[in-house]
Amino acid sequence: MNPFVYQSLPTRVVFGWGKLSALAEEIERLGARRALILTTPEQQGLGERVAALLGERAAGVYPKAVMHVPLEVAQAARIEAARLDADCCVAIGGGSTIGLGKAIAMDSGLPIVAIPTTYAGSEMTPIYGLTENRLKKTGRDPKVLPKTVIYDPQLTLTLPAQISACSGMNAMAHAVEALYAEDANPIIGFMAEESIRSLALALPGVVNDPNDPEARSQALYGAWLAGICLGSVGMALHHKLCHTLGGTFNLPHAQAHAIVLPHAAHYNREAAAGPLQRAARALGGSEASEVGGLLYALNQKLGIPLALADIGLPENGPADAAQIACASPYYNPRPFEQGPIEALLTRALKGLAPA
Ligand code: NAD
């Protein structure tokens, strides 16, 4: 057996249908009295609902979270938190809203209660991101890891089916890459496999009936496990390519993840044959060589875009992205090779199956 290091994350997790109702109790548990509630402008109504639920313990709703946490937005939110004398943040929404909570925590140390309403996984990670002059910087800081996470699948019912599917495949990518991470370990391996199995089972059900409570619960459970994977071990080629595509071409985050994943997994099929065989089995197959095809077939079944061209990647995208990714590669079981990476991105550009 290979030696390994395993460090568990100290976040308290409350999971269950309707569990938003446990929020006041969870805030009390933290010893906090003045919660600043963070949302995007689109989810302000949900923030108001949370404020009503908290009564006197709500210091205010700040509905200004946007994608990628621009520094000016973070600074304005930090000022608002100080002005309202907040002693904790409740971040209710997707990765953008939780990212804003992290930006406040980084500066002030305020504890975060995260209530995720997508499958992106930020709530389980000590990773923060801040965008300054159009450049996104990310880092790790234990201060930004939420103290408590409430997973209430009921809150995901309003996430449109197509966005749910892409967001779920974004989570799937964390689990797949955790299996072959440089610092992979047996516990995270179990969680990754269970995550892949749950998401593969649940997402077609979510697309088929976005109001199906069982499918929604199973999908959020898979996303929780995927978030732990992301927060615990390093990511590889797939995440590097998606960060490059997002940063350089401004492609939508979850959609880019969904499209690239089959191709990135296929690229690693021989170098990470053991880990990817586990992924293949969790997806209903048996061999590592099938994993790209299985993921591609799942995307087809979900009816989500298959071509990077359809979400805004230009013709020159594959060559440029391959060059940028290879200039500062992440760890990957198979070394970054510019030609084959450009080839895989070209197939992804056109929406072809991995080959
Ligand atoms: P998002 O948070 O940007 O949300 C997208 C849109 O969907 C927003 O308008 C939001 O209000 C809306 N929305 C969210 N939940 C909804 C629901 N249940 N019903 C209706 N609308 C809903 O999207 P995301 O994919 O969750 O997050 C992406 C961002 O998170 C990126 O910036 C990414 O880099 C970051 N991220 C960070 C980490 C980390 O560990 N730091 C992990 C994953 C993602």
Side-chain angles (χ1 to χ4, degrees), residues 10-213:
T11 300
R12 174 179 163 86
V13 171
V14 177
F15 190 105
W17 193 264
K19 279 292 178 190
L20 177 62
S21 62
L23 178 61
E25 199 182 313
E26 291 302 324
I27 288 194
E28 187 160 358
R29 214 187 145 85
L30 289 175
R33 319 213 132 260
R34 295 185 56 77
L36 177 61
I37 299 149
L38 307 172
T39 68
T40 57
E42 295 82 7
Q43 289 182 294
Q44 182 170 4
L46 184 60
E48 308 289 354
R49 203 178 121 200
V50 168
L53 201 69
L54 288 182
E56 280 183 355
R57 286 182 195 273
V61 177
Y62 194 73
K64 296 189 182 169
V66 291
M67 190 79 110
H68 302 314
V69 200
L71 184 64
E72 320 76 77
V73 175
Q75 277 166 343
R78 289 166 177 167
I79 291 168
E80 185 67 358
R83 187 184 74 78
L84 291 171
D85 196 22
D87 58 5
C88 82
C89 287
V90 173
I92 183 161
S96 300
T97 304
I98 295 166
L100 183 60
K102 288 177 169 181
I104 296 173
M106 224 167 100
D107 181 61
S108 61
L110 289 190
I112 302 171
V113 177
I115 310 174
T117 62
T118 70
Y119 306 131
S122 176
E123 67 282 356
M124 291 309 299
T125 84
I127 305 165
Y128 61 83
L130 268 180
T131 304
E132 191 177 2
N133 299 328
R134 299 182 57 221
L135 210 74
K136 185 164 177 176
K137 290 188 194 141
T138 60
R140 284 177 177 262
D141 186 334
K143 267 207 307 254
V144 309
L145 181 73
K147 293 279 180 289
T148 306
V149 177
I150 298 179
Y151 285 102
D152 181 348
Q154 198 171 16
L155 298 172
T156 63
L157 293 182
T158 48
L159 194 65
Q162 289 297 295
I163 300 179
S164 300
C166 292
S167 188
M169 292 306 289
N170 179 188
M172 174 85 79
H174 308 329
V176 169
E177 291 227 292
L179 284 171
Y180 55 61
E182 186 173 22
D183 49 355
N185 65 67
I187 296 289
I188 292 301
F190 285 134
M191 290 190 183
E193 250 185 279
E194 173 76 353
S195 170
I196 295 167
R197 193 171 289 112
S198 295
L199 290 165
L201 261 176
L203 295 177
V206 167
V207 168
N208 188 39
D209 176 7
N211 291 318
D212 177 349

